Amino acid sequence: MLRLLQIEFIKLWNNRASKVLIISYFVLLTSIALIAAIKFDIGPVEFHLADQGIFNFPYIWHFNTFVTALFKLFLAIVIVSMMSNEYSNKTIKQNLIDGLSKKEFITSKVLTVISFALISTIFVFVVSMILGLAYSDYNEMSIIFSDLEFLPAFFIKLVGFFSFCLFLGILVKRSAFALGFLILWTIFEQVVFGLLGWKVMSWEAAKAVKRFFPLESMSNLIKEPFTRLSAVQNIGQQIGEDMKFDYHVYWYEFFIVIIWTAIFIYFSYALLKKRDL
C-alpha cells in the first residue's frame, strides 16, 4: 500500500502543474485565517468579521468545513490531470509492463484520493483549532469538541467528489473534457430536478429524489452555515423570517455518498480492466 502511494506522490511532485495546484490549495485553506483580519470602517460604522462569531466553537467546525470545501476544485484538477497524464505520457502502459496489475494501479489512485481528503481534513482541523482558541468566546472542552460531525462529513464529501473526478479522468482521458463533463453533470442534476418537479411529481417529492443525485448528496453533507450566525438570525427576526434550519449531518447522508463513492471506484476499475491499453 505504502509503495503504491509513494509512486503516486513521486509522479505528482515531479509534475510542475500538479505541484503548483496542490500548494495553492493548502495556501488557500490557510487563508481562512485572513478573514479574521478583515475590518470595515465606513464612517461611524465599524465591522470586524471575527467579532461576528464565525470563529466561535462549535460553529467554526461548520463554517470552516463548508468554506474550505469550495476549494476542492484545485485538487479535482490535480486528480483529473493525474489520469490524463497517465494516458498522454503512456506511464500507465509502462507501469503495467513493469509488473503493476490494473487492480494495483486503481488502488494507488484511490489511496491518493483518500490521502488528499485525509490531509485536507487534518489541515482544516488544525487551522480551526488555532483560530477557535484565538478568537472563540467559548473555550470549554465540551463546547470545543461538539459539532465535530462536520469533520468526517468533510472527509467523506472530499473522498466522494475526488472519486467522481477519478472516474471521469479514466472515462474521458483528457483533463479539459473531464472537467467540462463535471460542469455539465452539475447542470444536468439541476435540469433533471426541474423536470421532475415541473412534469413528473410534486416539488417536495422532487427534492427528496434530488438528495440521491451524486453531487447533490455530497453537497447535502455540509449545509450552508451562514443562517446560523446571530447577526443573520437577528435580521431574519426583524423582517419576520423564520431562520431556523436543520444543519445536522445524518447517517443516511453519509451512506448515500459512500455508496456513490463505491460505484465510482468500481466503474473506474471496470473501465480500466475492460480497456485495451
Side-chain angles (χ1 to χ4, degrees), residues 13-276:
W13 202 248
N14 287 332
N15 184 291
R16 187 176 179 181
S18 295
K19 189 192 299 185
V20 170
L21 284 167
I22 292 170
I23 292 173
S24 299
Y25 171 75
F26 285 103
V27 168
L28 281 170
L29 294 194
T30 311
S31 69
I32 293 176
L34 297 176
I35 296 175
I38 297 176
K39 294 182 179 180
F40 297 98
D41 189 358
I42 307 171
V45 179
E46 292 184 0
F47 183 77
H48 188 193
L49 279 176
D51 293 337
Q52 302 308 306
I54 61 173
F55 295 141
N56 277 344
F57 288 118
Y59 175 76
I60 192 171
W61 303 120
H62 189 182
F63 178 81
N64 279 5
T65 51
F66 179 84
V67 172
T68 51
L70 300 176
F71 301 136
K72 64 184 181 293
L73 189 60
F74 281 82
L75 289 186
I77 296 171
V78 172
I79 291 166
V80 168
S81 300
M82 173 177 73
M83 281 311 308
S84 64
N85 289 338
E86 294 283 5
Y87 287 107
S88 60
N89 297 332
K90 301 188 185 301
T91 50
I92 181 172
K93 186 177 289 187
Q94 188 60 50
N95 286 156
L96 296 176
I97 292 172
D98 292 340
L100 201 69
S101 68
K102 290 184 177 181
K103 186 176 181 180
E104 287 177 320
F105 180 83
I106 284 295
T107 301
S108 68
K109 301 303 180 187
V110 173
L111 287 173
T112 305
V113 162
I114 294 172
S115 297
F116 278 153
L118 182 60
I119 293 169
S120 299
T121 304
I122 294 171
F123 202 86
V124 170
F125 172 78
V126 172
V127 171
S128 300
M129 279 295 290
I130 293 171
L131 289 172
L133 292 173
Y135 292 101
S136 179
D137 297 327
Y138 313 102
N139 292 316
E140 295 82 359
M141 294 296 287
S142 59
I143 295 177
I144 289 175
F145 293 106
S146 60
D147 273 11
L148 282 180
E149 63 190 26
F150 292 106
L151 285 173
F154 178 73
F155 172 74
I156 295 298
K157 179 175 184 173
L158 291 190
V159 172
F161 183 72
F162 295 156
S163 298
F164 186 33
C165 294
L166 176 64
F167 169 69
L168 292 180
I170 294 174
L171 178 67
V172 184
K173 294 185 182 181
R174 296 194 179 184
S175 55
F177 289 120
L179 291 170
F181 190 93
L182 180 63
I183 295 169
L184 286 175
W185 185 266
T186 305
I187 298 170
F188 174 74
E189 286 192 5
Q190 299 306 316
V191 170
V192 171
F193 165 65
L195 289 174
L196 287 175
W198 181 39
K199 291 288 187 180
V200 181
M201 57 186 71
S202 69
W203 285 107
E204 285 301 316
K207 286 179 182 177
V209 172
K210 188 184 180 185
R211 293 178 190 171
F212 293 92
F213 296 169
L215 293 181
E216 183 66 22
S217 65
M218 296 170 200
S219 177
N220 285 338
L221 276 175
I222 305 176
K223 303 165 186 72
E224 61 80 23
F226 305 109
T227 49
R228 285 183 69 179
L229 284 169
S230 56
V232 178
Q233 292 279 336
N234 291 335
I235 293 172
Q237 290 175 3
Q238 290 173 11
I239 62 175
E241 286 288 333
D242 183 10
M243 304 296 285
K244 293 180 180 179
F245 301 105
D246 187 359
Y247 304 100
H248 291 292
V249 186
Y250 294 97
W251 67 268
Y252 58 84
E253 293 174 323
F254 279 103
F255 184 71
I256 294 169
V257 177
I258 290 170
I259 290 296
W260 277 117
T261 302
I263 290 171
F264 295 140
I265 293 172
Y266 171 78
F267 279 107
S268 295
Y269 175 60
L271 268 175
L272 191 69
K273 191 176 180 181
K274 185 178 179 181
R275 191 171 282 165
D276 184 11

